Amino acid sequence: MTLELSLNQQPAHTRQGSSIGQPLTRRDGFLKVTGAARYAADNHPSGMLYAVLAVSSIARGRVAALDVEAAKAHKGVVEVMTPRNRPALAADPDAKDHPFMFRLDLLQNEEVRYPNQTIAVVIAETLEAATEGAALLSPRYEALPARVGLDDAESFVPRGVGVGNPAVQHKGDVEAGLKSAKTRIEATYETPAQYHNAMEPHAIVAAWDGDKLSIDTPSQGLAMAQGRISGLFGIAPQNIHIRSPFLGGGFGSKGMISGPQVLGVLAARLVGRPVKLVLRREQMYGPVGHRAPTRQTLRMGMDGEGRLTAIHHHAKTASSTFDDFFEPAADASHTLYASPAITTSHEAVRLDTGTPLFMRAPGEATGSIALESAIDEAAHACGMDPLEFRLRNYAEVEPMTGKPFSSKALRECYSQAAKAFGWASRPLQPRLMRDADGFLTGWGVGTATFPAIMFQAEARAVLKADGSGLMETGAQDMGQGAWTAFAQIAADGLGLDIDQVDFRAGSSDLPNAGIAGGSGHTATAGMAIHNAGAAVIARLADLATGNEASPLFGADNEGVVARGGRLYRRDDENRSESYAEILTRAGLTEIEGHGKGAPDAASQETYAKHAHGAVFAEVKVDPDFGQIRVTRLVGAFAAGRVINPRLVRSQYYGGMIWGVSFALHEEAITDRRSGRIQNANLAEYHVPVNADVPSVEAILIHEDDPYVNALGIKGVGEIGIIGTAGAVANAVWHATGVRPRRFPIRIEDLLG
Amino acid sequence: MRDFDYIRPATIPDAIAAAAEPGSAYLAGGTNLLDLMKGGITSPERIVDISRLPELNRIERLEDGGLRIGALVRNADLAHDAAFAKAYPMVAEALLSGASAQLRNAATVGGNLLQRTRCSYFYDTASACNKRVSGAGCAALGGENRLHAVLGWSDACIATHPSDFCVPLVALDAVVEIEGKQGRRHVTLAEFHLLPGETPQRENALEPGDLIVAVRLPAEAASFAANARYLKIRERTSYAFAVVSAAAALVVDGGKIRAARLALGGVAAKPWRARAAEAVLLGADANEATFAGAADAALADASPSGDNAFKIELARRIVVRALTSAQAGTPERLPALPASPFSSIPGARHDA
Ligand SMILES: Cc1cc2nc3c(=O)[nH]c(=O)nc-3n(C[C@H](O)[C@H](O)[C@H](O)COP(=O)(O)OP(=O)(O)OC[C@H]3O[C@@H](n4cnc5c(N)ncnc54)[C@H](O)[C@@H]3O)c2cc1C
Ligand code: SF4
């Protein structure tokens, strides 16, 4: 694809040596701050109509009647799509060919299985007409009682949790470990349902041309989206072109194509014109995934030295009534703390909600706040400083599997963050610190860990006769800076200055870059780019070293280095030749190379691969009112090679602020009778504002990891949220002496 | 959104004539009205845009020492008017504690008085709500109601009035100047908003077509300038409605309270003037015991309308704190976090 405007509108980057490691600003930043970056909903192909969803206000039952006539009679309304006239699909949206094919609500029948489920789509000449048309449908329902809370339905043990982990896992004998313990704790923590609120709601502009389909929509996984749509519509994937150059945030909600996005495609099919469909903010509370509520019980035993003898982490969670996704909260206890006995177990209920799905650090975030709170309670029970307790139980090998870590600079994270924070002067007992204004002050710590995951990706590199390069991969930039970080890797891979590389991404007609999720995108697509660069340089080196006319003649492939658009003999820097010279001599206009990124199965067997971090939080609490403010956050993270420290820091900041949100703000308030979410808007679904986080610091800890991949990249997208929420909760305890057991922490919990 | 007529009258009488027709609504800043229209909570057939009526945009000092604030003065402009903030510091503080900078730039004085409740069932058109549809029932009863009213509620409605601005205004005996078909009239703010009783759909003293033209503060209101505070408990540091709030103003002389004003926000369907508490304060020694007595008096009639008993205790505590802060004296400068408990010391840095 080509962007309407070049990404290189800022002054040339001044730098020395490689692009990797440089704190470049976002190359797409200029387009974004000037409004020139074209997001999905900014596209208006000629003849485009507007589609608006009519959504269910009941949680369970069926639609008995819709006043389609009234909607159609409204001026400007072109068509109303209902189960009766919805174009046929090649596959049943309720079919599940594999565990990661999630069921979609595509008007397959009149059944309602959650509030905000689409029950019709109104298509009109204007957004206003479509909106009013949707209101005029005045649905009548046959409603059944809604199942809303974790106690409202029968509990069962799911077949798998998260991405297919066993629901129950054991190592050692937890009961024996608890029995032998000198000190024991047991505590239950509750986390609420949280919903996706990316700035950009899901949007799609779809246009059909015969059986060719052109789509503008935000996607964290272009090839997966293409595959899903191909299956649903029975058209070849290559007939589907999806453009997704910019996403206004994804956080997992745009990982898989959602029902409403497919409905936009169906609407365009029905009317035979391009259609735009944008979710209203409140319509995001249902069909695009969410973080399920949990109730977690932790039991821990400690010996006389404060060493863990057993951890039992049990989590109850919920999925929808019609599909399976189970927040793997208890699995957070697999990797962090050494214990001879660990059991993690899950149970679940089915509620009348949309299917919960991936939301930034699924399982890790929910599990971490409970685990880190419990670890804090355990430290206190042993009379130990919480940091000292964590170090006492430091895992030298992965606790659940016994595998060595590919790298683990967590000790360094603890020590550097603790130093920057000033942890050493912390009193052991709670409610002892007051600031000059009389506010209760508390300090807390939390540990972060997130697996270094890789998927599969491909990239294509081209060197041109003018010496410039091209790198293509269908990567996705959710705002995290992929346009920049990948271009940096591409520049180094091609041995070119970054401004000489035309980097292309964000389009499904480029090589499959896998999914931007699981904190694995930079590692996966980055490795594909790196390898594509290496492949094309290898071809170039062959051309040079095999040609007598070249000053590089005779040096084998290992003997040349690519830098600044030239190949140099490794053993003699004076002998070099520019890319252009090599290609021109060979009579070639360009040469091409391909690369793949994938996890290394062998090292996967041998090593446990994780990023780590430590977060320290300071909170102030008004002693009379229980109002809380996080005044300081200091985190240190070790996540392998840092491609761009500026972008990495911004991921940590964002994650840490989300951790504050988890501890203090975010919650979907659901009416206990109707199952409708009562605060589905940005005024009442609270996330932190600037005043809630006056000071955030993220320290990057150097870490070389030869095993994760050749570039040494682990991934930074999710780890910031983990540990932070627990650190805040623990700081609240330290400030007040009240142990938070449900989140978000509320004023009434602290009133005393 | 339903189609509607849009009228932009040039004069006040034209506006009133247009708005007197059934199905009309005035549009001021639109920060509340447009949300309500988009959500289908109200569907006016005619929008009477008063936002450019010039004569409603002024702040005038009156001969008797009072102040007259035009109904279209923007919340931000009023709060940042230096003379205003000096004379009525707790009103400025309340204004700046509300909403966000963007909203305050758009929101008007009249609109702020008339903003609707934030009761989520009022906004959820699939729920029963007596305010929206008289006689339909009240879904908030037995629902998610931890932020609902603890004073003056009825079984027909337990919603609160969400305004910050109105709380110090009612404490200072503000008067609403209304122009309608029968000419101008004045209604005290204390009488302007109505408690729900059996008719929660009737929220205030306005008749169809009535236009708020100004809010007046009597001369006496400025006499509290040295000892006045507004305090607001929130669930995040900024950009949140009050869980409970309090405006407290005192005149203290030789340790004795010579005059006292107290009002609570976020507790009832109207800004809640606590006259019984004022009676406790008047003539008493300005100390914590007195303030605690005043707090008890202010909340004597309070009762939970749901999962909100904590608000009663919270209100008691905020009354004591607001009175203590008022006694300590109005800060020289408005705190960086207006009305926040995290700004108890003016000028203090809260990020350190
Ligand atoms: C996200 C959000 C957060 C907020 N947070 C707070 C907060 O923390 N504290 C707070 O106090 N407020 C808060 N508000 C509410 C805000 O203060 C009000 O929306 C605003 O004051 C309304 O003023 P307006 O001029 O925009 O009114 P409009 O929306 O134009 O009008 C509101 C109502 O008043 C009527 N009206 C307006 N002017 C007149 C007049 N002169 N005569 C007769 N009728 C009139 C209109 O017909 C309409 O019914 C918040 C609002 C939002 C959207
Ligand atoms: S409390 Fe009042 S506004 Fe809320 S649902 Fe009940 S009647 Fe409606």
Side-chain angles (χ1 to χ4, degrees):
Chain A
M1 67 150 292
T2 43
L3 296 170
E4 281 74 10
L5 286 164
S6 157
L7 290 173
N8 297 326
Q9 293 200 339
Q10 50 191 332
H13 299 289
T14 49
R15 55 168 194 86
Q16 284 172 350
S18 79
S19 285
I20 291 181
Q22 301 298 321
L24 303 191
T25 53
R26 282 174 175 73
R27 306 182 89 213
D28 46 340
F30 183 87
L31 296 183
K32 286 183 176 169
V33 298
T34 57
R38 186 182 286 201
Y39 288 80
D42 297 332
N43 291 288
H44 294 117
S46 73
M48 188 190 82
L49 297 173
Y50 294 81
V52 164
L53 302 182
V55 299
S56 164
S57 61
I58 63 161
R60 181 184 172 205
R62 61 183 291 281
V63 179
L66 285 173
D67 196 346
V68 172
E69 289 315 308
K72 278 184 131 168
H74 188 71
K75 188 162 162 274
V77 171
V78 172
E79 189 53 278
V80 176
M81 186 165 73
T82 69
R84 292 184 188 189
N85 64 345
R86 186 267 267 157
L89 288 167
D92 178 0
D94 277 324
K96 203 169 168 77
D97 298 353
H98 56 84
F100 293 102
M101 178 182 267
F102 289 96
R103 299 192 166 104
L104 300 173
D105 291 285
L106 301 178
L107 298 172
Q108 51 264 48
N109 52 43
E110 274 81 19
E111 191 192 344
V112 173
R113 19 198 207 190
Y114 57 93
N116 281 341
Q117 179 191 314
T118 303
I119 55 173
V121 181
V122 179
I123 306 144
E125 298 286 349
T126 64
L127 176 63
E128 291 75 12
T131 305
E132 183 57 16
L136 289 169
L137 288 172
S138 316
R140 276 196 302 108
Y141 302 98
E142 285 157 15
L144 290 166
R147 292 151 297 189
V148 180
L150 285 176
D151 297 316
D152 286 1
E154 201 182 323
S155 153
F156 62 97
V157 177
R159 240 181 300 156
V161 297
V163 291
N165 302 353
V168 181
Q169 294 192 55
H170 299 288
K171 173 211 162 182
D173 185 342
V174 157
E175 296 311 324
L178 285 170
K179 213 158 164 207
S180 73
K182 182 159 175 283
T183 316
R184 279 175 285 271
I185 62 123
E186 174 170 348
T188 299
Y189 308 89
E190 292 194 35
T191 66
Q194 300 175 353
Y195 278 77
H196 282 287
N197 274 290
M199 283 295 280
E200 177 203 30
H202 293 61
I204 188 162
V205 176
W208 287 91
D209 177 8
D211 66 349
K212 286 205 166 63
L213 176 60
S214 156
I215 295 176
D216 293 286
T217 199
S219 168
Q220 293 175 244
L222 286 164
M224 274 171 63
Q226 199 184 30
R228 185 72 163 120
I229 293 173
S230 152
L232 284 167
F233 287 87
I235 54 175
Q238 57 273 22
N239 279 2
I240 304 165
H241 185 193
I242 309 179
R243 286 171 301 268
S244 182
F246 306 111
L247 287 81
F251 308 108
S253 76
K254 294 165 185 164
M256 265 140 317
I257 198 104
S258 67
Q261 286 163 295
V262 181
L263 286 164
V265 179
L266 278 163
R269 182 78 150 196
L270 181 68
V271 294
R273 283 167 68 176
V275 162
K276 169 154 107 176
L277 189 155
V278 182
L279 286 191
R280 290 168 65 118
R281 177 63 51 185
E282 67 270 21
Q283 292 176 342
M284 291 183 63
Y285 289 68
V288 302
H290 65 279
R291 204 193 291 284
T294 71
R295 184 185 297 144
Q296 304 175 53
T297 299
L298 278 115
R299 297 189 296 150
M300 290 178 181
M302 286 74 63
D303 69 13
E305 266 95 53
R307 280 196 184 78
L308 287 161
T309 59
I311 303 175
H312 181 196
H313 192 159
H314 178 74
K316 183 173 189 180
T317 185
S319 191
S320 69
T321 56
F322 56 95
D323 213 340
D324 290 347
F325 183 86
F326 301 97
E327 181 86 2
D331 291 357
S333 287
H334 287 170
T335 37
L336 262 182
Y337 299 105
S339 171
I342 300 174
T343 292
T344 57
S345 54
H346 295 86
E347 65 179 305
V349 294
R350 294 197 179 278
L351 303 180
D352 297 308
T353 64
T355 304
L357 283 171
F358 305 94
M359 184 157 165
R360 204 176 195 179
E364 286 89 0
T366 36
S368 165
I369 196 168
L371 173 63
E372 290 301 315
S373 295
I375 285 285
D376 224 61
E377 299 204 35
H380 188 62
C382 295
M384 286 174 71
D385 172 82
L387 177 56
E388 190 194 336
F389 184 82
R390 284 168 170 82
L391 287 166
R392 180 74 45 89
N393 291 288
Y394 194 86
E396 302 292 353
V397 295
E398 190 179 46
M400 206 64 184
T401 62
K403 286 184 197 173
F405 291 102
S406 59
S407 63
K408 179 176 178 179
L410 177 57
R411 271 207 182 83
E412 198 59 22
C413 296
Y414 282 135
S415 69
Q416 288 212 27
K419 189 154 166 269
F421 186 84
W423 181 261
S425 62
R426 175 187 181 274
L428 198 55
Q429 297 304 322
R431 221 180 162 93
L432 288 181
M433 293 203 293
R434 293 249 184 178
D435 72 2
D437 297 343
F439 293 112
L440 297 169
T441 304
W443 291 353
V445 59
T447 312
T449 181
F450 195 86
I453 301 168
M454 283 182 74
F455 306 100
Q456 309 273 343
E458 293 160 18
R460 171 177 174 263
V462 175
L463 279 179
K464 299 187 183 162
D466 65 359
S468 72
L470 166 70
M471 186 67 77
E472 294 183 331
T473 184
Q476 295 91 187
D477 191 326
M478 294 97 76
Q480 81 277 37
W483 277 118
T484 309
F486 287 143
Q488 288 176 265
I489 299 172
D492 280 13
L494 292 170
L496 285 172
D497 198 85
I498 194 164
D499 295 322
Q500 285 180 281
V501 179
D502 182 5
F503 174 66
R504 296 183 187 171
S507 180
S508 68
D509 55 1
L510 300 175
N512 178 358
I515 185 163
S519 299
H521 198 38
T522 309
T524 312
M527 276 308 298
I529 290 167
H530 174 79
N531 290 334
V536 78
I537 293 295
R539 275 204 65 196
L540 190 70
D542 281 348
L543 290 175
T545 58
N547 192 314
E548 282 174 29
S550 169
L552 299 170
F553 179 68
D556 62 9
N557 274 357
E558 303 303 318
V560 296
V561 224
R563 195 174 66 233
R566 301 182 75 82
L567 292 184
Y568 294 84
R569 253 188 97 116
R570 197 183 292 277
D571 53 359
D572 182 358
E573 290 273 313
N574 291 322
R575 294 169 71 177
S576 71
E577 196 172 28
S578 75
Y579 298 175
E581 286 164 336
I582 301 168
L583 287 175
T584 310
R585 182 184 319 104
L588 295 169
T589 52
E590 58 175 52
I591 53 171
E592 188 176 325
H594 294 262
K596 287 193 171 169
D600 170 25
S603 76
Q604 205 80 342
E605 278 303 303
T606 322
Y607 294 103
K609 302 172 182 177
H610 300 274
H612 293 91
V615 182
F616 293 80
E618 174 182 87
V619 304
K620 304 260 164 113
V621 182
D622 187 291
D624 299 325
F625 305 146
Q627 193 174 318
I628 307 165
R629 192 175 187 214
V630 177
T631 44
R632 256 180 340 126
L633 284 180
V634 179
F637 301 91
R641 180 98 166 268
V642 169
I643 300 300
N644 180 325
R646 182 193 304 272
L647 299 174
V648 165
R649 248 188 216 104
S650 110
Q651 285 299 298
Y652 292 150
Y653 292 158
M656 289 161 79
I657 292 165
W658 201 334
V660 172
S661 193
F662 202 123
L664 301 184
H665 300 296
E666 249 180 281
E667 174 179 27
I669 298 164
T670 308
D671 181 76
R672 59 197 81 174
R673 301 149 306 181
S674 70
R676 278 194 300 279
I677 294 168
Q678 294 295 308
N679 59 339
N681 61 70
L682 285 176
E684 262 98 0
Y685 185 93
H686 281 185
V687 296
V689 297
N690 278 320
D692 287 307
V693 273
S695 166
V696 187
E697 186 181 343
I699 301 167
L700 311 187
I701 302 293
H702 182 85
E703 194 177 62
D704 289 316
D705 191 321
Y707 304 110
V708 280
N709 47 61
L711 287 168
I713 299 169
K714 284 182 173 174
V716 298
E718 289 157 281
I719 191 168
I721 184 172
I722 305 154
T724 307
V728 171
N730 294 337
V732 168
W733 170 78
H734 190 237
T736 62
V738 178
R739 178 62 67 183
R741 291 269 174 70
R742 64 172 182 184
F743 301 98
I745 305 167
R746 288 169 166 173
I747 283 170
E748 59 263 44
D749 299 333
L750 302 181
L751 273 187
Chain B
M1 201 193 289
R2 205 152 297 173
D3 287 348
F4 53 83
D5 292 335
Y6 173 85
I7 297 171
R8 202 160 78 208
T11 66
I12 291 176
D14 286 353
I16 292 166
E21 301 284 321
S24 303
Y26 288 121
L27 173 71
T31 60
N32 191 211
L33 183 66
L34 296 194
D35 275 0
L36 293 166
M37 289 168 68
K38 285 190 216 162
I41 295 107
T42 51
S43 311
E45 285 155 27
R46 176 184 299 99
I47 292 294
V48 183
D49 182 354
I50 54 170
S51 65
R52 289 173 229 199
L53 286 178
E55 60 266 60
L56 301 184
N57 212 356
R58 294 184 210 124
I59 306 172
E60 300 159 74
R61 261 139 264 281
L62 303 174
E63 276 176 18
D64 65 359
L67 190 79
R68 183 172 182 274
I69 312 157
L72 286 177
V73 174
R74 306 281 162 172
N75 287 187
D77 290 340
L78 184 58
H80 292 301
D81 182 298
F84 178 83
K86 193 140 195 67
Y88 317 100
M90 67 175 177
V91 185
E93 192 167 11
L95 280 168
L96 292 178
S97 75
S100 65
Q102 295 89 332
L103 284 158
R104 294 192 296 269
N105 285 340
T108 64
V109 161
N112 194 311
L113 263 55
L114 292 169
Q115 64 175 298
R116 312 293 301 272
T117 181
R118 303 306 293 195
C119 169
S120 65
Y121 299 97
F122 173 71
Y123 285 82
D124 172 14
T125 52
S127 286
C129 171
N130 286 324
K131 237 187 218 315
R132 254 190 294 106
V133 182
S134 180
C138 169
L141 286 169
E144 309 309 311
N145 52 23
R146 54 183 281 277
L147 298 177
H148 280 70
V150 293
L151 282 163
W153 53 273
S154 71
D155 284 340
C157 179
I158 61 173
T160 62
H161 191 264
S163 168
D164 292 301
F165 181 43
C166 289
V167 181
L169 280 186
V170 79
L172 294 174
D173 282 337
V175 172
V176 187
E177 200 178 307
I178 300 164
E179 186 155 327
K181 280 179 290 185
Q182 321 310 339
R184 288 212 176 187
R185 66 186 198 280
H186 291 184
V187 177
T188 64
L189 187 61
E191 288 168 343
F192 180 77
H193 294 103
L194 306 176
L195 287 176
E198 294 303 305
T199 53
Q201 74 280 10
R202 269 197 68 74
E203 297 180 345
N204 55 55
L206 294 184
E207 299 294 337
D210 276 357
L211 179 73
I212 297 181
V213 289
V215 169
R216 286 170 180 255
L217 282 168
E220 206 196 350
S223 67
F224 296 96
N227 294 85
R229 273 320 283 275
Y230 182 69
L231 263 181
K232 174 178 178 185
I233 307 300
R234 279 165 273 199
E235 297 194 306
R236 62 183 164 193
T237 311
S238 179
Y239 194 38
F241 288 95
V243 177
V244 294
S245 69
L250 298 170
V251 175
V252 185
D253 184 9
K256 288 252 184 280
I257 299 168
R258 299 296 168 202
R261 298 294 174 81
L262 184 71
L264 288 165
V267 293
K270 59 191 288 182
W272 192 265
R273 178 82 179 261
R275 289 191 195 274
E278 290 174 7
V280 171
L281 294 165
L282 199 63
D285 292 334
N287 61 32
E288 205 181 321
T290 302
F291 297 159
D296 288 340
L299 278 307
D301 296 332
S303 64
S305 58
D307 299 330
N308 56 1
F310 77 98
K311 283 182 66 167
I312 300 172
E313 178 56 24
L314 197 59
R316 238 182 234 121
R317 294 183 190 185
I318 200 175
V319 165
V320 174
R321 178 81 65 86
L323 286 165
T324 310
S325 304
Q327 186 197 3
T330 306
E332 258 319 295
R333 284 189 298 127
L334 263 179
L337 293 172
S340 169
F342 292 108
S343 63
S344 57
I345 305 277
R349 276 170 53 92
H350 293 284
D351 55 351

